[in-house]
Amino acid sequence: GAASLTAAVSGTPAAQAAVAPVTAPQLVPLPQEMSLRSGQSFTLSADTRIVAAQGALAVAQQLAAVLRPSTGYALPVSTGAPQPGTLALALDGATSLGDEGYTLESGSTGVVVRAHTAHGAFNGVQTLRQLLPAWVESPTVRPGPWTVPGVSITDEPRFGYRGAMLDIARHFQTVDTVKRIIDEISMYKINTLHLHLADDQGWRIAINGRPELTTIGAQFGIDNSPGGYWTQAEYVDVVQYAASRFVTIVPEIDTPGHTNAAIMAYADIHPDINCSANKPPRWNLSGDVGYSALCPDSPNTWALLTDVINQLSALTPGPYYHIGGDEVPTTILTQQQYADFINREAPIVGAAGKIVMGWNEISEGDFGQPGMPQGVVQFWGTGGTGSGGDSARRAVQKGMKVVMSPADRAYVDQKYVTSRTTNPNGPVTPIGLNWACPRGCDVDTAYNWDPATLVPARTTSTGEVLPAVTESDVIGVEGALWSETVKNLSDAEYLYFPRLPAIAELGWSPAGVPGRTFDEFKVRLAAQGARWTAMGVNFYPSPLVPWR
Ligand code: TNX
């Protein structure tokens, strides 16, 4: 349980009074190794300084920016080595902990985070925040005391890709909203934000030389909600802000389906790009899926996609470009036409210097064959079975890597509690869809699965053996927030929290680490609730979690 540790409880009443009670660490994601240094703690004071290696100075400034408003302390930041009485970020950590690993030692002499990259130091700082009382996240001065319990932590992630997806196509979101989301998700060591930048209801990013995409394509959102788009400067601003929090942006322009906004943008000047069921095309601002498609044979399709891929790739420092690829019925494009489309698009992405990412359907393409770039599928099937599972299995047969986003586990756009649920607890979730979670998907469902064993091997009816998706095929996990029902920041927060931290822990903490169970996770999660309250982050107070 969430026991409170009281340091140095023995001794005289005076000695007891001199030692602040400290709280047992309640960390999400769970570190790989942690031991408590009993009787030791460090309490911040008005004299506490932050020292950092040159390469971690920006991270140290971010730490100071979190701690100053609530503590009211000056917390000056300077370059330097760890000294007694400081919060220190050192870059002499073991390279064996990888680019994201760190150690954290706290005790009576202070706190030292050691990493060998700034990203590792940032991860250690997120842990340090959670070692302090929850109200350290408050924007206004609080009484403290600001005591860090004595711990010794050695930590590194299980997977390198720990993502969140945000759909800004259905409901448009501003740059400021997305920056705030980056702050909130990076606290849980999420290192990737996948932005779904275009769909049937709207196109959300300016492309030079193609004004129609935004003047026409960005006018609306789902259900006639306000449209909008980002200029390229705004996109770069988001990319840079994300980078400062060690979050990599993955841009997605969904193709060949989910493209009605682009088709509408070009309805007058390039009507030949429209291979939809929607002919002549008209706006459909409902949540319908599976009706739109770009034409594989139109040169205008390829001129358009080449501009889009080249420009977005040039603005994106991360390794991935996501081509979508989901939900194109064979009644619109035959299986061969679809495969040919992927086979033509993927090399354009490769030539732009990016790894091709797409929903699992893209494994229809000739990945692994000469001329095709490296590919990653994002598995969105349910239960690891069925055609979604087969397409993930085909992907690994073709040498592709996999990001796991099973819809019935990791689609955080689904309701926690549905009208059809038998769960008597809690109200029916006011927003969210339910196709993947007809009985609701609460935080236990988001937590209780394993990315490396969900998709087992399968023998098809023709005797073909499709391999399992195993640990070495999986590069990570992603919680996906589609935005049919997500109007604003508060809605996004309500669906992300507390489920995204569950996904973050699956991505970070190896399955075998003691404490990596839902029963212990829910106690650690409970401690996050007070942080979200202090920060003004909306969340679903799941009845499964012993919030305090
Ligand atoms: C299916 S998942 C879609 C999206 C919807 C989502 C809603 C996927 C690759 N495609 O277009 O927004 O369901 O949950």
Side-chain angles (χ1 to χ4, degrees):
S4 250
L5 297 183
T6 303
V9 282
S10 59
T12 64
Q16 284 180 35
V19 180
V22 295
T23 307
Q26 303 291 354
L27 303 174
V28 177
L30 183 67
Q32 207 166 82
E33 276 178 51
M34 174 169 68
S35 54
L36 304 182
R37 305 167 87 186
S38 62
Q40 292 221 40
S41 65
F42 179 71
T43 301
L44 275 61
S45 74
D47 298 328
T48 301
R49 295 181 303 116
I50 300 176
V51 295
Q54 184 66 38
L57 214 48
V59 174
Q61 293 290 4
Q62 289 172 15
L63 173 62
V66 171
L67 304 182
R68 283 173 187 147
S70 54
T71 62
Y73 301 152
L75 297 166
V77 175
S78 59
T79 318
Q83 287 161 41
T86 62
L87 304 179
L89 307 182
L91 289 183
D92 57 359
T95 54
S96 59
L97 288 175
D99 285 352
E100 292 200 69
Y102 67 93
T103 59
L104 187 154
E105 301 281 334
S106 55
S108 39
T109 57
V111 181
V112 185
V113 171
R114 291 184 197 278
H116 92 101
T117 70
H119 193 174
F122 177 87
N123 288 332
V125 162
Q126 304 322 304
T127 299
L128 174 55
R129 288 167 72 173
Q130 293 186 21
L131 290 171
L132 282 157
W135 294 100
V136 80
E137 301 295 341
S138 171
T140 55
V141 177
R142 300 280 164 166
W146 306 109
T147 300
V148 181
V151 296
S152 177
I153 293 173
T154 302
D155 204 8
E156 66 176 314
R158 176 179 178 185
F159 295 113
Y161 186 115
R162 300 179 308 281
M165 193 207 82
L166 181 68
D167 171 5
I168 68 163
R170 271 55 177 265
H171 277 106
F172 176 66
Q173 301 300 338
T174 64
V175 165
D176 283 346
T177 291
V178 176
K179 286 181 175 175
R180 175 83 181 165
I181 288 172
I182 289 167
D183 287 342
E184 294 168 5
I185 67 180
S186 61
M187 287 177 70
Y188 296 97
K189 303 184 176 74
I190 292 282
N191 67 2
T192 306
L193 178 63
H194 164 188
L195 292 171
H196 186 77
L197 293 170
D199 211 300
D200 292 322
Q201 299 86 350
W203 184 282
R204 305 295 176 217
I205 180 76
I207 300 296
N208 296 331
R210 298 197 169 264
E212 297 82 3
L213 286 172
T214 44
T215 56
I216 300 170
Q219 295 175 86
F220 309 112
I222 193 166
D223 301 330
N224 253 299
S225 57
Y229 68 92
W230 295 351
T231 65
Q232 292 197 355
E234 287 173 319
Y235 177 78
V236 169
D237 185 24
V238 170
V239 164
Q240 290 175 348
Y241 188 86
S244 75
R245 270 77 180 156
F246 301 90
V247 170
T248 299
I249 298 294
V250 176
E252 177 188 356
I253 298 292
D254 205 343
T255 58
H258 289 275
T259 41
N260 201 51
I263 288 165
M264 290 304 293
Y266 285 105
D268 290 337
I269 53 178
H270 296 312
D272 61 316
I273 70 172
N274 180 26
C275 274
S276 297
N278 183 23
K279 265 191 194 134
R282 32 185 200 87
W283 282 105
N284 177 348
L285 300 177
S286 77
D288 290 353
V289 297
Y291 66 88
S292 60
L294 295 172
C295 289
D297 298 329
S298 161
N300 289 315
T301 293
W302 297 105
L304 169 63
L305 291 183
T306 302
D307 282 353
V308 170
I309 291 166
N310 286 343
Q311 290 184 33
L312 268 179
S313 295
L315 299 174
T316 304
Y320 303 110
Y321 177 99
H322 201 303
I323 63 174
D326 57 313
E327 296 182 318
V328 184
T330 49
T331 49
I332 301 183
L333 298 183
T334 65
Q335 198 174 349
Q336 190 59 51
Q337 282 179 311
Y338 174 84
D340 290 347
F341 196 104
I342 301 302
N343 290 340
R344 187 158 172 184
E345 186 173 15
I348 301 172
V349 174
K354 299 300 178 193
I355 297 169
V356 178
M357 199 164 163
W359 301 104
N360 45 244
E361 289 96 318
I362 72 163
S363 67
E364 294 283 332
D366 292 336
F367 289 92
Q369 297 297 311
M372 288 291 275
Q374 213 187 316
V376 173
V377 293
Q378 183 166 9
F379 174 75
W380 65 282
T382 56
T385 55
S387 61
D390 284 354
S391 72
R393 286 179 273 259
R394 288 216 168 78
V396 305
Q397 271 185 329
K398 294 180 180 182
M400 304 176 84
K401 295 294 181 194
V402 181
V403 168
M404 292 297 292
S405 299
D408 52 356
R409 305 285 179 174
Y411 266 28
V412 297
D413 72 323
Q414 302 292 301
K415 288 181 189 287
Y416 295 96
V417 176
T418 66
S419 56
R420 290 165 58 192
T421 192
T422 53
N423 178 0
N425 300 317
V428 170
T429 310
I431 54 173
L433 303 182
N434 63 11
W435 68 267
C437 297
R439 295 164 65 86
C441 281
D442 208 329
V443 62
D444 56 339
T445 304
Y447 190 82
N448 282 324
W449 60 285
D450 188 76
T453 57
L454 190 78
V455 185
R458 196 176 94 83
T459 306
T460 67
S461 53
T462 62
E464 188 190 1
V465 179
L466 296 172
V469 176
T470 63
E471 182 95 17
S472 61
D473 304 314
V474 174
I475 60 171
V477 292
E478 187 173 293
L481 187 59
W482 300 99
S483 69
E484 285 90 339
T485 67
V486 179
K487 294 192 172 67
N488 50 38
L489 176 65
S490 166
D491 288 350
E493 290 171 341
Y494 189 77
L495 293 173
Y496 275 138
F497 298 102
R499 288 179 293 195
L500 192 64
I503 305 293
E505 179 152 312
L506 295 188
W508 183 277
S509 315
V513 174
R516 245 288 268 117
T517 63
F518 184 72
D519 273 351
E520 298 190 45
F521 173 70
K522 71 185 183 192
V523 175
R524 291 182 283 107
L525 192 58
Q528 309 307 310
R531 290 174 195 280
W532 299 330
T533 301
M535 295 171 73
V537 175
N538 192 20
F539 67 100
Y540 168 59
S542 166
L544 303 177
V545 178
W547 308 104
R548 290 171 296 159

